Amino acid sequence: MIEISSDVIRGYNDTMILSILMKEPSYGYEISKQIRQLTDEKYIIKETTLYSAFTRMEKNGYIESFIQQDVDLKGKKRTYYRITEGGQNYYKEKCEEWVLTKEVINRFILEGLIDGNN
């Protein structure tokens, strides 16, 4: 099975994380699990990549963290993240950028080679 290169997807980690946070606040492990599930395990975000993204996006004002007692952890505290208005705007920009990126790259994808019809 072909794996997605981390170099290719690096610029879209923020987009994936923000997409999940658009629905509701969440925490690191749950976000990682959702990315794994939504990609049918074709992309597994590394923990260091995930928490670096949290740090960067919080510094840029795209997300904010908060501590919440978690029922699953019997009242222990867990750090959650929620998207800000700035993060919603950034997410929309990244989605528009993706449409353009996909359009450009698709011009260089030779369909016959992918399908094995060469």
Side-chain angles (χ1 to χ4, degrees):
M1 178 162 101
I2 296 174
E3 292 183 14
I4 297 173
S5 162
S6 61
D7 289 339
V8 170
I9 207 148
R10 182 177 298 126
Y12 291 94
N13 282 322
D14 291 0
T15 308
M16 290 184 283
I17 294 166
L18 291 173
S19 172
I20 291 166
L21 294 177
M22 289 283 280
K23 297 173 188 114
E24 64 183 345
S26 193
Y27 56 94
Y29 176 75
E30 182 61 29
I31 291 170
S32 171
K33 188 170 90 173
Q34 286 186 41
I35 290 171
R36 203 169 52 250
Q37 289 171 343
L38 289 168
T39 64
D40 294 325
E41 307 233 356
K42 290 181 179 90
Y43 180 61
I44 298 170
I45 192 167
K46 294 177 183 167
E47 189 174 329
T48 54
T49 302
L50 182 64
Y51 285 95
S52 293
F54 287 153
T55 301
R56 180 180 59 258
M57 288 193 292
E58 193 163 25
K59 181 181 174 188
N60 290 333
Y62 302 148
I63 63 172
E64 53 190 21
S65 62
F66 62 98
I67 305 295
Q68 181 171 308
Q69 288 188 332
D70 200 303
V71 176
D72 294 342
L73 297 176
K74 297 185 172 129
K76 290 185 182 175
K77 294 178 181 176
R78 178 179 273 160
T79 302
Y80 277 74
Y81 300 89
R82 71 176 140 241
I83 192 166
T84 64
E85 187 177 335
Q88 291 174 5
N89 293 333
Y90 179 67
Y91 172 75
K92 289 174 189 166
E93 288 172 18
K94 292 300 281 183
C95 289
E96 291 169 4
E97 178 186 272
W98 171 248
V99 170
L100 180 59
T101 300
K102 191 168 75 166
E103 179 185 322
V104 169
I105 296 300
N106 277 343
R107 294 174 189 248
F108 297 92
I109 302 299
L110 304 174
E111 295 298 329
L113 292 177
I114 294 171
D115 298 334
N117 298 329
N118 52 347

